Amino acid sequence: MNLSIQSKMPDLQFSVFAVISQLSERHRAVNLSQGFPDFNPDPALVQLVSENLKQGKNQYAPMPGILPLRQALAEKIEKLYGATYDPESEITVTAGATEALYAAITATVHSGDEVIIFEPFYDAYPPVVQYAGGKPIFIPLQPPNFSIPWQRVKQAVSKRTRLIILNSPHNPTGSLLGKNDLAQLAGITDGTSILIISDEVYEHIIFDGRAHVSLASYPELRERSFVISSFGKTFHTTGWKVGYCAAPKPLTDEFRKIHQFITYAVNTPVQWVYAAFLQQDQSYLQLGDFYQSKRDLFARLLENSRFKLLPCHGTYFQLTDYGAISDLPDFEFVERLIKEHGVAAIPLSPFYSQPTHQKIIRFCFAKKDETLQQAAERLCRI
Ligand code: PMP
Ligand code: GLN
């Protein structure tokens, strides 16, 4: 009997984050690869989880999420971005932003539909589009600023364009969308049925006095957008895997048809905790300053190294050019870095649809100062 299955995704590899994390662990490297903090969340947050467990918040949450959390999110979005979402019918709590991205893409993309994706891209987008039968149309962003070439977007739009996927602050480049970008996008999508997914998981990790420009804040764009975010980045709780999607009712109705059969509902006690914690806006409004000092510390520590840092305006990722050190392709360079120098980073090429020859890798600086110091000492010796 042949029990091998015919792969639905024959060309797909395991995610670079899974591969590099494993390698990093095997070699006990200082891990600046996958994006997660190596420090704990606020103890009050952990205490609240324990209280909610004891209070019996242990059974299924409602399918779209507990209402107090959706209400707290609606209030937060209104306060920060001036946009109104009905918590009953327009906000859905998901198992991380990953599930929200999957649900939004599968709810909207039909066979043969085109989806505009900017590269470098967060690695979850293209496989899900392809799995849904869609065709990614890749538009490259150029270093060092990685800004969107709107003229190229205009040319790429066709009758088959179903979705445009945006990500700001942008993983892995740390670039940001500005008001002018949204005006361009509004012009291009006006009069079309193109929908937008806006991945805003790093919305509070933004530096140098800049402000996050949410798609929610632009009424014409809000009407056609799934705005997705994640509590994991905001509260240093990536392992709790809770995120959400805000979208107008007709979009949310379709989104929930997918969500209900991926997870049905999400971790109940953690939803109660976030609902309570969102009342204290200082916890997320100070996040930019917190990570800006880590970005600046890491840059100072690498000043005497041969790595060249690219601009970073948001997220907790620092792109660095290693061209002065080696001619190796990025994946091999990262393997050497882990095995010979004991520091793990993420190569940039998995964020592209085609092989690239850039000598750029990504470091995560969401780490204790001691971890950054230890990594930098090793990096400066190279
Ligand atoms: N989008 C981007 C741009 C990310 O970097 C990540 C992961 N960190 C996600 C989505 C997934 O978020 P989550 O961990 O909440 O699923
Ligand atoms: N978003 C995280 C990163 O970019 C990783 C999340 C994951 O492992 N899927 O590093």
Side-chain angles (χ1 to χ4, degrees):
M1 195 165 31
N2 179 6
L3 290 181
S4 69
I5 50 173
Q6 187 188 352
S7 177
K8 287 193 162 181
M9 308 291 279
D11 299 325
L12 195 63
Q13 311 286 322
F14 286 116
S15 149
V16 64
F17 305 115
V19 174
I20 298 291
S21 293
Q22 214 183 14
L23 195 66
S24 172
E25 233 165 83
R26 199 174 325 130
H27 292 272
R28 298 178 198 283
V30 182
N31 190 357
L32 307 190
S33 62
Q34 191 180 22
F36 62 87
D38 72 343
F39 43 85
N40 279 322
D42 187 333
L45 202 60
V46 177
Q47 176 65 25
L48 269 178
V49 177
S50 141
E51 282 168 23
N52 276 281
L53 292 173
K54 286 185 199 140
Q55 282 164 14
K57 300 283 191 336
N58 297 306
Q59 309 309 329
Y60 291 128
M63 182 270 274
I66 63 161
L67 191 56
L69 178 55
R70 287 183 281 141
Q71 282 165 335
L73 285 168
E75 280 165 26
K76 172 175 179 270
I77 296 171
E78 175 139 33
K79 192 173 70 178
L80 294 183
Y81 309 126
T84 311
Y85 287 92
D86 175 11
E88 292 275 3
S89 61
E90 299 188 314
I91 294 181
T92 311
V93 182
T94 57
T98 307
E99 192 222 342
L101 289 165
Y102 186 93
I105 293 169
T106 33
T108 51
V109 174
H110 291 247
S111 185
D113 283 352
E114 294 178 356
V115 177
I116 293 182
I117 296 178
F118 301 97
E119 59 183 352
F121 46 72
Y122 181 60
D123 72 340
Y125 311 148
V128 182
V129 167
Q130 283 158 335
Y131 189 65
K135 181 174 172 217
I137 304 292
F138 295 104
I139 298 186
L141 307 176
Q142 300 301 336
N145 294 323
F146 298 98
S147 45
I148 295 187
W150 288 108
Q151 198 52 35
R152 284 203 61 174
V153 179
K154 219 178 263 180
Q155 288 158 0
V157 165
S158 79
K159 286 202 180 67
R160 307 248 36 180
T161 308
R162 174 82 293 227
L163 260 184
I164 299 177
I165 303 183
L166 294 171
N167 171 214
S168 178
H170 186 260
N171 178 7
T173 69
S175 66
L176 308 176
L177 291 181
K179 286 192 178 144
N180 179 49
D181 292 297
L182 297 205
Q184 296 274 358
L185 181 63
I188 288 173
T189 51
D190 185 32
T192 72
S193 56
I194 297 172
L195 300 173
I196 298 162
I197 291 179
S198 183
D199 179 346
E200 304 185 7
V201 301
Y202 300 101
E203 63 187 306
H204 300 302
I205 309 181
I206 199 155
F207 311 135
D208 308 317
R210 292 178 163 87
H212 174 57
V213 178
S214 174
L215 269 265
S217 64
Y218 212 110
E220 298 97 301
L221 295 173
R222 177 205 177 280
E223 290 315 302
R224 55 175 83 236
S225 297
F226 296 88
V227 177
I228 290 172
S229 194
S230 170
F231 297 102
K233 319 290 166 185
T234 303
F235 294 118
H236 313 309
T237 49
T238 61
W240 295 6
K241 289 297 297 186
V242 180
Y244 58 91
C245 174
K249 184 175 184 309
L251 272 56
T252 292
D253 285 347
E254 293 306 311
F255 179 95
R256 288 183 182 173
K257 288 181 190 172
I258 307 291
H259 161 71
Q260 66 182 339
F261 293 123
I262 307 177
T263 54
Y264 182 76
V266 175
N267 190 314
T268 306
V270 165
Q271 291 194 54
W272 285 100
V273 171
Y274 287 140
F277 227 69
L278 279 180
Q279 308 307 325
Q280 308 167 26
D281 59 7
Q282 284 318 306
S283 56
Y284 55 84
L285 293 180
Q286 288 167 357
L287 199 62
D289 289 344
F290 173 78
Y291 277 121
Q292 182 174 324
S293 55
K294 294 215 174 274
R295 176 199 67 174
D296 294 345
L297 170 67
F298 191 52
R300 271 198 312 279
L301 291 168
L302 287 187
E303 232 163 40
N304 294 323
S305 78
R306 290 194 287 157
F307 290 95
K308 186 170 158 274
L309 275 54
L310 276 69
C312 167
H313 304 301
T315 76
Y316 42 52
F317 302 115
Q318 175 65 61
L319 291 187
T320 51
D321 186 318
Y322 62 87
I325 301 174
S326 168
D327 280 334
L328 284 176
D330 59 0
F331 225 106
E332 286 169 47
F333 182 74
V334 163
E335 276 177 344
R336 290 266 287 267
L337 205 56
I338 294 172
K339 290 179 187 166
E340 293 174 16
H341 303 283
V343 181
I346 293 287
L348 205 61
S349 50
F351 297 79
Y352 285 86
S353 58
Q354 301 291 327
T356 66
H357 303 288
Q358 303 179 95
K359 305 278 179 282
I360 299 178
I361 57 176
R362 189 196 83 176
F363 291 111
C364 171
F365 55 79
K367 305 293 167 190
K368 292 179 202 140
D369 291 356
E370 306 92 88
T371 311
L372 295 175
Q373 272 149 4
Q374 198 189 5
E377 269 168 36
R378 295 177 184 196
L379 295 172
C380 285
R381 275 189 238 127
I382 304 174

